[in-house]
Amino acid sequence: GAVVSQHPSRVICKSGTSVKIECRSLDFQATTMFWYRQFPKKSLMLMATSNEGSKATYEQGVEKDKFLINHASLTLSTLTVTSAHPEDSSFYICSARDTGTSGYEQYFGPGTRLTVT
Amino acid sequence: DAKTTQPPSMDCAEGRAANLPCNHSTISGNEYVYWYRQIHSQGPQYIIHGLKNNETNEMASLIITEDRKSSTLILPHATLRDTAVYYCIVRGTGGGNKLTFGTGTQLKVEL
C-alpha cells in the first residue's frame, strides 16, 4: 500500500524556537497534503490543506504565520512551527492524497510528537 | 461533509467478531463511507470504504444499510492488535473534500 513518512518522529524544542516537520509520500505523487494536530485523548483536527505549488489553505482558527506550510514538490510538504510555545506541544500528523486513484485515497504518516519546553 | 455518530467505546473478546456501528443519517448521494483506525500514538490507518454495496477486504467487511443512513464495520476475528480508535467518516470524492474526524469508537479487544 501507499506509504507516507514523517520526520522527525519525535522532537523536543525550547520555547521560542522553530521546528520543521517533513512529510513525504514515498511511492506515489500527492498534489494535495493535509496537516492535522491531535491533543491527548482527542480526535484529529485538520489544520491546513497543502497544494503543490500554491499557498496552503488554513482552517478557521489556525494561524498561518505560526504554522508555515510549504509544498514544493509532489512528494514533499513541510510544516514549520514558528516561535513554538508549550501550548503547541502536540501530535502532528500529515496525510497525502493519491491523485492517481479514482477515489482520491488518503494515506497518513506515522505522526510527529512535538514537545516544547 | 455529513456528520457521523459512533458509540464512544466497545469491548470485544479476542477471536470474536467486532461489529462497530456508525450512523450517518445526513449522508448525501455522492458521499462515500470511510473507515480508519488509529492505534495509540500512530497515524490513522485506512481500513475500507464503500458507497452503497457491502464491501470486504483482507482487514474487514463494511455493511451499509439500503437507505445508507448507517453502516457497520465488521472485524471477523478480532485480535489484541485490533485495539484502537475506529473512525467512521463520510466524504465526497471531489478533490476539494476533506477527511473530517469525529470522536470515533475506542475498541478494546480482551482475552
Side-chain angles (χ1 to χ4, degrees), chain A residues 5-6 9 14 16 28 30-31 37 41 45 48-49 68 76 82 99 102 104-105 108 115:
Chain A
S5 70
Q6 280 184 244
S9 58
K14 291 187 176 180
F28 64 97
T31 55
R37 178 168 55 181
K41 298 187 179 180
M45 296 299 296
T49 301
L68 301 179
L76 172 65
T82 63
T99 49
S102 59
Y104 291 90
E105 305 313 332
F108 288 81
T115 302

Side-chain angles (χ1 to χ4, degrees), chain A residues 86-98:
Chain A
E87 57 265 31
D88 297 324
S89 298
S90 189
F91 192 48
Y92 291 87
I93 305 168
C94 76
S95 178
R97 178 175 282 166
D98 184 352

Side-chain angles (χ1 to χ4, degrees), chain B residues 3-111:
Chain B
K3 290 186 177 179
T4 62
T5 304
Q6 298 177 252
S9 64
M10 292 182 67
D11 293 333
C12 178
E14 189 177 36
R16 297 282 194 170
N19 298 286
L20 292 92
C22 179
N23 285 320
H24 32 79
S25 58
T26 59
I27 192 171
S28 59
N30 65 345
E31 288 183 317
Y32 283 70
V33 179
Y34 284 79
W35 283 84
Y36 283 78
R37 73 179 182 185
Q38 186 180 26
I39 295 170
H40 183 61
S41 293
Q42 296 182 23
Q45 176 189 22
Y46 166 81
I47 301 173
I48 199 167
H49 75 283
L51 182 64
K52 296 184 204 177
N53 301 320
N54 299 336
E55 302 288 343
T56 296
N57 62 21
E58 65 278 4
M59 289 183 69
S61 294
L62 174 60
I63 308 298
I64 302 174
T65 57
E66 194 169 339
D67 63 8
R68 304 210 322 125
K69 293 186 177 181
S70 65
S71 61
T72 301
L73 179 74
I74 301 173
L75 307 179
H77 305 286
T79 70
L80 298 178
R81 288 181 296 180
D82 292 321
T83 293
V85 179
Y86 287 76
Y87 296 99
C88 167
I89 304 168
V90 293
R91 196 200 80 178
T93 55
N97 288 304
K98 300 170 277 194
L99 282 176
T100 302
F101 287 78
T103 52
T105 295
Q106 171 67 65
L107 175 67
K108 187 175 181 182
V109 182
E110 301 172 307
L111 292 172

Side-chain angles (χ1 to χ4, degrees), chain A residues 69-89:
Chain A
I69 292 172
N70 183 276
H71 191 162
S73 79
L74 289 172
T75 59
L76 172 65
S77 176
T78 61
L79 169 69
T80 301
V81 182
T82 63
S83 186
H85 288 96
E87 57 265 31
D88 297 324
S89 298

